[in-house]
Structure formats: structure tokens, C-alpha cells
Amino acid sequence: DAKTTQPNSMESNEEEPVHLPCNHSTISGTDYIHWYRQLPSQGPEYVIHGLTSNVNNRMASLAIAEDRKSSTLILHRATLRDAAVYYCIPSRQGGKLIFGQGTELSVKP
Amino acid sequence: GAVVSQHPSRVICKSGTSVKIECRSLDFQATTMFWYRQFPKQSLMLMATSNEGSKATYEQGVEKDKFLINHASLTLSTLTVTSAHPEDSSFYICSAIARALSLTGGYTFGSGTRLTVV
């Protein structure tokens, strides 16, 4: 399982962009990079995932480094509802998702 | 989209009794389901992986006789905590993979079960 390194916590102001980094230097060539977030006392919620190319969806963008050893989750305009713990998880398609410690994002009004 | 229903959301039981938690995929067939536990202020810890019709694979350090997992159909997996003790109090979460991987990368999580053993 690839090891990940994420900041323990980050702060953002409402309406501003947020860049959440993740290092996954031991990622396998077939691993997808998944991002999930979790609110207190809830199950994780899917945010985005990608393999090599940058990805966009209605929630966020995922920028993947060319060597795939790191990635950045981009929330274009943070809202109070985006305050959560964000997890970056490399995993092969259909494989186990092993959660690291994640980044706790707080959003200030 | 893919929905996983987990029941109950909260349960309180007496020490020494057993508790069953259900995880259902409502609108898709789940070839594989995962069970996690999460202690306060900690990350999710994978307990086991279950495939429909076969025995679950437990992660190292997880007691298979204590945490019984049954995945009898493509839409239902159950976790039974046997002879529960206060240290088993935790937040249990299931996840399911769709047979056909969806736009969400295939993984959908339940909303979790808060188990309190008194």
C-alpha cells in the first residue's frame, strides 16, 4: 500500500480557493488517486479520483504531478460546508482503500 | 447514484452481548464490501474485506471470531460484534464496490454505526 503524507490541518477563508497537497511517492503505476472527505460522525464522501491526467468535477479539481508522486486537490471556492477531513488514498482499481491521517480543513467565514 | 444504507445508525448494548450491523447496497450489486472502524479523533481503520459468497479476509490484528462478517448476497453484508466489551465501542463504517465501476471510482460508503457498549 502506498504511503501518503498530508498536512495535519489547513485553514481557508470562505469564498477563497484551497489547495490541499498530498505526497504519495511510493504509488504504484496502476494506482488511482482517490480523494474522500469526512464530516464528523458521517461516512466518507467521494470527492474526486484520477490516474494520470488532471480531473475536474462539480466539487473539485485534481492536479496530478507528472511523476505521479504527488497530487493536489483544489476547491475553487471554499464554503463553510467544505470544512471536513480530506483523505488522499492511492489504490488500484477495486482494491482496498487504506486511509491515512488526512488533512483537517477549517473554513473561516 | 450508488447508495449504501447502513443500519442501525446508533446502538447501545450491554457488555457480553452481540450486535449485528447491516450494510446494504440499494441500487447496485456490490461485489466487494469493506468494513472499517474509527475511534474518536482517529482515521478509519480497515478491518476486513468481504466478497459475496466467500469468507472475509481480515486485516492483521483483527479477531475474526469476534467480528463475524457475512456477505451472503450481492446487496447485503453484515458485521456481528460478538461478546461486545466497552473497548469495542467505536464508529463502524461499511463501504461497497459496484460491479460496474462508476464515476465515483466505484466506492460508496455507508453513513456509519455508532456502537456504545455499556
Side-chain angles (χ1 to χ4, degrees), chain A residues 36 38 46 93 95-97 100, chain B residues 36 38 43 59 101 104 107:
Chain A
Y36 282 81
Q38 186 183 27
Y46 170 80
Q93 199 170 50
K96 300 184 289 189
L97 292 185
Chain B
Y36 296 82
Q38 185 176 31
S43 184
E59 295 296 304
L101 296 178
T104 65
Y107 302 86

Side-chain angles (χ1 to χ4, degrees), chain B residues 13 18 21 28-29 31 44 50 60-61 63 67 74-75 77-78:
Chain B
C13 71
S18 296
I21 301 169
F28 66 98
Q29 293 183 324
T31 54
L44 286 79
S50 74
Q60 193 171 8
E63 299 175 60
F67 299 100
L74 283 171
T75 60
S77 177
T78 60

Side-chain angles (χ1 to χ4, degrees), chain A residues 34 36 38 41-44 46 49 87 91-101, chain B residues 34 36 38 42-44 46 49 59 91 93 97 101 103-105 107 109-111 114:
Chain A
H34 301 261
Y36 282 81
Q38 186 183 27
S41 297
Q42 293 187 27
Y46 170 80
H49 78 290
Y87 297 97
S91 178
R92 64 172 178 80
Q93 199 170 50
K96 300 184 289 189
L97 292 185
I98 303 299
F99 286 74
Q101 290 307 305
Chain B
F34 304 93
Y36 296 82
Q38 185 176 31
Q42 294 187 22
S43 184
L44 286 79
L46 180 66
T49 302
E59 295 296 304
F91 191 53
I93 306 166
I97 296 180
L101 296 178
L103 291 176
T104 65
Y107 302 86
F109 286 82
S111 54
R114 175 79 57 197

